């Protein structure tokens, strides 16, 4: 098991090294191909793509000097609030609708309409209603997270085997016991599958909201860097976002492993 994990980690790091090496080569080594250009050129113009060294150097300086900590804290707070509120709402409403067929049928077209609304269109509306503080960004993130979790939990509860449900009722299980021992375990796998996606969308909601109107946050920093054609600053902000998405997703995976300890290992994991 440990050997398999180390091999997987090595392959993942190898992909990152190859991509970074290709980026470095394209942005620092000129090619002389007369058929493509009369004079030597960079495959990846550093003016538009910067270089890995410059991006990593800027990111390191931002953390070392403490410039980025305040903005990162704002973005992570917005992300956490959007994730918790949206996920909790999605779980509760998903369970409720799955157990109330008539209610689900009545609200089905309205849920689909709300889910189809472009979230970017909602961002200015939330800013108008809630101001340019954190809550307009949280609201945008909640709209992204809620529907992802809602549909997965709803489907997870609906996927419970009718035979299993009938047998549980024959054994005299109450509705509370059914919820705890039948519906909840069934929905957990679906729920955590959606939470991995929801983490990224919560961060997207926060950053997009900051990008469109804010005075702090990583989205604000990226927007400011774009305004002065600071490509290195843009890529540095994107790098920080990517790092923290991976960290948060790892935490979700740890909680999932803890709560789903009863689940048998998948065939892929056993191979």
């Amino acid at each position: 098991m440990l050997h398999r994990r180390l091999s997987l980690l090595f392959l993942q790091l190898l992909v990152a090294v190859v991509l970074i090496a290709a980026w470095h080569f394209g942005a620092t080594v000129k090619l002389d191909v007369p058929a493509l250009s009369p004079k030597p050129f960079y495959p990846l113009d550093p003016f538009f793509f910067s270089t890995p060294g410059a991006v990593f150097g800027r990111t390191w300086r931002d953390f070392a000097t403490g410039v980025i900590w305040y903005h990162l804290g704002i973005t992570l707070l917005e992300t956490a609030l959007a994730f918790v509120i949206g996920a909790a709402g999605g779980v509760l409403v998903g369970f409720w609708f799955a157990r109330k067929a008539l209610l689900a049928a009545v609200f089905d077209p309205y849920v689909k309409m709300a889910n189809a609304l472009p979230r970017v269109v909602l961002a200015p509306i939330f800013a108008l209603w809630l101001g340019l503080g954190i809550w307009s960004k949280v609201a945008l993130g909640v709209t992204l997270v809620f529907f992802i979790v809602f549909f997965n939990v709803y489907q997870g509860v609906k996927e419970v085997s009718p035979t299993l449900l009938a047998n549980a009722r024959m054994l005299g299980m109450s509705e509370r016991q059914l919820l705890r021992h039948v519906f909840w375990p069934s929905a957990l796998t679906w729920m955590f599958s959606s939470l991995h996606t929801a983490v990224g969308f919560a961060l997207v909601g926060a950053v997009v909201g900051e990008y469109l109107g804010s005075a702090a946050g990583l989205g604000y920093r990226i927007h400011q860097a774009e305004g002065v054609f600071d490509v290195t600053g843009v890529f540095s902000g994107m790098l920080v976002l990517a790092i923290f998405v991976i960290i948060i997703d790892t935490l979700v995976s740890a909680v999932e492993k803890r709560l789903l300890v009863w689940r048998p290992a998948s065939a892929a994991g056993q191979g």
Side-chain angles (χ1 to χ4, degrees):
M1 179 65 73
L2 179 60
H3 175 71
R4 189 185 303 118
R5 289 181 179 176
L6 291 176
S7 298
L8 177 60
L9 179 60
F10 172 77
L11 291 174
Q12 291 172 335
L13 292 175
L14 181 62
V15 171
V17 170
V18 170
L19 291 175
I20 293 172
W23 178 15
H24 177 77
F25 175 85
T28 59
V29 178
K30 285 187 176 182
L31 299 182
D32 189 3
V33 184
L36 297 178
S37 175
K39 57 183 180 180
F41 65 95
Y42 292 108
L44 299 176
D45 191 328
F47 179 80
F48 296 105
F49 294 93
S50 188
T51 63
V55 172
F56 294 143
R58 173 73 65 84
T59 304
W60 175 261
R61 286 196 302 273
D62 285 345
F63 278 105
T65 60
V67 171
I68 201 172
W69 288 112
Y70 171 72
H71 297 280
L72 179 61
I74 293 293
T75 299
L76 291 181
L77 175 61
E78 294 164 352
T79 300
L81 289 172
F83 180 73
V84 170
I85 296 172
V91 169
L92 293 175
V93 178
F95 261 105
W96 188 27
F97 276 31
R99 301 294 294 128
K100 304 291 182 181
L102 177 60
L103 185 71
V106 169
F107 282 95
D108 180 67
Y110 301 103
V111 171
K112 290 178 179 177
M113 285 192 302
N115 185 45
L117 289 174
R119 304 306 192 272
V120 176
V121 174
L122 295 176
I125 297 176
F126 288 140
L128 181 65
W129 290 348
L130 303 173
L132 296 178
I134 68 169
W135 290 109
S136 58
K137 287 72 179 175
V138 171
L140 183 61
V142 167
T143 63
L144 293 168
V145 172
F146 172 83
F147 289 103
I148 297 172
V149 178
F150 165 79
F151 284 117
N152 276 272
V153 170
Y154 177 81
Q155 192 62 35
V157 176
K158 297 294 285 186
E159 285 291 316
V160 172
S161 169
T163 303
L164 175 62
L165 198 55
N167 290 337
R169 283 178 171 146
M170 284 179 56
L171 292 173
M173 280 193 177
S174 64
E175 283 298 315
R176 178 175 294 182
Q177 290 173 321
L178 286 173
L179 178 64
R180 179 180 178 182
H181 298 290
V182 179
F183 293 114
W184 181 244
S186 174
L188 268 181
T189 302
W190 290 75
M191 182 182 75
F192 275 105
S193 176
S194 68
L195 290 182
H196 287 287
T197 306
V199 166
F201 276 94
L203 187 58
V204 167
V207 173
V208 169
E210 292 168 353
Y211 186 90
L212 294 177
S214 178
L218 293 179
Y220 166 78
R221 282 179 58 85
I222 292 173
H223 181 64
Q224 292 294 101
E226 283 187 352
V228 295
F229 300 102
D230 180 9
V231 179
T232 301
V234 173
F235 277 95
S236 175
M238 293 168 61
L239 174 62
V240 174
L241 290 175
I243 291 172
F244 278 89
V245 164
I246 293 173
I247 292 174
I248 297 172
D249 186 70
T250 301
L251 294 176
V252 173
S253 296
V255 175
E256 177 184 15
K257 186 177 180 180
R258 178 72 176 175
L259 292 180
L260 300 185
V261 66
W262 50 267
R263 185 177 60 182
S266 64
Q270 293 172 343

